[in-house]
Amino acid sequence: MSLTFKNITLGQRVLFGYGRAARNLATEAARLGARRVMVIAAPAESAIADRVTADLPVVLRHSDVRPHVPVEQAEAARAAASECGADLVVCVGGGSTTGLAKAVALTTGLPIVAVPTTYAGSEATNVWGLTEAARKTTGVDDAVLPVAVVYDSELTLSLPVGLSVASGLNAIAHCVDSMWAPRTNPVNQAFAMEGLRAVADGLRRIVREPDDIDGRDATLYGCYLSGVAFASAGSGLHHKICHVLGGAYDLPHAQTHATVLPYVLQLNAPGAPDAAHRIAAALGSATPVSGLNALREALDAPRALADHGMRREDIPEAAGLILPYVPQDNPVPVGAGELTDLLTRAWAGEPPRDGKAVRDA
C-alpha cells in the first residue's frame, strides 16, 4: 500500500538558548515593531518576568492567572489589553499563563511571544481552552498560536523536581496521544517519538541532578516537539479525558495528565500495535506500558487522581461528561463502561496491567 497522508506544520519562530531569554525576547519584540507590550505572568513568575522583559517597552503587567483559564479572568485580561493599547502580548510562565495570553489573542488578534518556564508545550499549539460553569471548552484557531517562542532552560531551574516531573509527563502525554489522534500521520509521529525520547531522558537527568542543564535542555526541546506533534495530530482520548476532568473538578492540569496517561496507554495500545511498538522502542522497553511504568517509577510520578482532589463519587458523572468527546476513530471502542473502569483505576492509582511484549514486524 502506498504512503498517503496530509500534514500541516504550524509556522512560528523558535529561539532556543541557555541564558538568552532576555536577549532573544528583545530581538523578537523589535522585529515585530512592538511599542506597547502587555506582560502576562503569575505572581510566582514575577521575578523571572522582570528580568527577561527589562528591555521591552512594557505598558502593563497582568498577574491574574488561574488554571484552566476561567472566562471571567479571560474577559478581564482582554479588557486590560484594550485599555492599555497593547500591540504585543508577552507571556512568561507555564500552561495557564500561555492559555490566558491565547484567550486575549483569540478576541483581539494581538500577537503573542511566549516564554515558557515549564514543559507544558501549549506555546507550540493553536489550541485554546476556557472554563465556564465548571465546563472546559477547547478550540483551534491560528490567531492564538504564538508568533514566536523563546526557550531558555535557565528559566526552568526554579521549577521544583516534582513539578518538573508532572509537567514533563504532560509533554509525554502529548507525544503518546499524537500516535493515534484524529489527524495522526508519519510526520507528526516522528516529532512525537523524538519528543518522547528527549523528555524521558531529560526527566531522568533532572531527577538525578536538578541543576543538570543538559537534562533541562533535553526536556525543553522534547516538550516543544510534543507541542508541534499535538498541534498537527489533534486531540486524542487522553486529552479529552483530562480537559473534562480539569474543567469539571478543578484538578491540577499537569498532575492530571501525568496520572491518567498510563491508563489510556494501556487501553489503546492493543488497538494500535505499530504505535505501541514505537512507543515501547522510544522508552527502551518490551511493551509501552512496562516502559512508562518504569519511567514513572524512576521519576516518582503522580499516581492517583484521589491525591489531587477527585472524589470517587464523581466518577460516574465524569464518565458521562467525557463520553460525548471520545474520538470516533480511537484505536479501540470506548463506552461508559471503559471510561468508568479507567477513571476508577486512575482514581485509586492502581498500577496498569502490562500486556504482551511488542515484537518487531
Side-chain angles (χ1 to χ4, degrees):
M1 181 180 296
S2 63
L3 189 63
T4 304
F5 64 90
K6 177 182 178 180
N7 180 71
I8 297 175
T9 301
L10 302 177
Q12 65 180 183
R13 286 167 59 87
V14 173
L15 295 89
F16 198 110
Y18 178 82
R20 296 173 177 264
R23 185 188 329 166
N24 286 338
L25 182 54
T27 297
E28 284 306 292
R31 183 182 69 85
L32 294 166
R35 296 179 180 275
R36 301 183 63 82
V37 177
M38 175 184 183
V39 176
I40 299 178
E45 309 289 352
S46 179
I48 292 176
D50 285 345
R51 179 156 52 90
V52 301
T53 64
D55 295 329
L56 303 186
V58 177
V59 294
L60 177 67
R61 287 286 301 275
H62 189 86
S63 61
D64 188 7
V65 177
R66 304 190 190 183
H68 308 297
V69 195
V71 167
E72 55 271 24
Q73 268 66 49
E75 291 175 347
R78 290 163 176 167
S82 178
E83 289 170 6
C84 76
D87 58 10
L88 174 66
V89 177
V90 171
C91 54
V92 182
S96 297
T97 304
T98 305
L100 184 58
K102 288 181 172 184
V104 172
L106 184 64
T107 58
T108 66
L110 289 173
I112 303 169
V113 176
V115 186
T117 61
T118 72
Y119 308 117
S122 172
E123 66 279 355
T125 81
N126 58 352
V127 179
W128 56 267
L130 293 169
T131 301
E132 184 174 19
R135 297 294 181 265
K136 188 168 185 176
T137 301
T138 61
V140 176
D141 193 313
D142 287 348
V144 308
L145 178 73
V147 297
V149 185
V150 174
Y151 287 110
D152 181 348
S153 57
E154 183 182 29
L155 307 185
T156 71
L157 288 172
S158 60
L159 188 66
V161 170
L163 289 179
S164 296
V165 167
S167 181
L169 285 169
N170 182 14
I172 286 178
H174 284 98
C175 296
V176 171
D177 224 19
S178 295
M179 297 302 288
W180 39 59
R183 300 189 301 274
T184 190
N185 65 55
V187 176
N188 52 49
Q189 288 180 355
F191 278 111
M193 290 301 92
E194 171 64 10
L196 174 53
R197 276 187 281 268
V199 175
D201 174 64
L203 289 179
R204 290 188 182 99
R205 289 169 171 262
I206 291 170
V207 168
R208 289 195 301 265
E209 177 49 63
D211 292 337
D212 183 342
I213 295 303
D214 288 340
R216 291 191 177 269
D217 270 351
T219 308
L220 206 53
Y221 159 70
C223 98
Y224 166 68
L225 294 179
S226 80
V228 173
F230 177 72
S232 175
S235 181
L237 177 64
H238 171 87
H239 282 79
K240 299 300 186 184
I241 292 172
C242 292
H243 286 164
V244 169
L245 295 180
Y249 308 108
D250 196 28
L251 303 186
H253 183 81
Q255 290 86 343
T256 300
H257 280 270
T259 301
V260 169
L261 176 59
Y263 304 98
V264 177
L265 178 59
Q266 179 192 12
L267 177 68
N268 275 350
D274 180 65
H277 171 77
R278 295 179 67 182
I279 293 168
L283 290 169
S285 59
T287 71
V289 174
S290 66
L292 185 58
N293 282 347
L295 177 64
R296 287 167 49 82
E297 184 68 27
L299 303 178
D300 192 22
R303 297 185 183 279
L305 291 176
D307 296 336
H308 303 295
M310 188 169 185
R311 304 179 303 172
R312 184 171 189 139
E313 54 265 36
D314 289 329
I315 290 175
E317 177 191 54
L321 292 173
I322 295 164
L323 188 58
Y325 297 101
V326 173
Q328 292 185 349
D329 53 358
N330 193 65
V332 300
V334 175
E338 286 80 12
L339 290 173
T340 299
D341 177 66
L342 184 153
L343 292 173
T344 300
R345 290 184 292 112
W347 176 84
E350 174 189 323
R353 299 180 299 274
D354 206 357
K356 295 180 179 180
V358 179
R359 301 185 183 280
D360 292 323

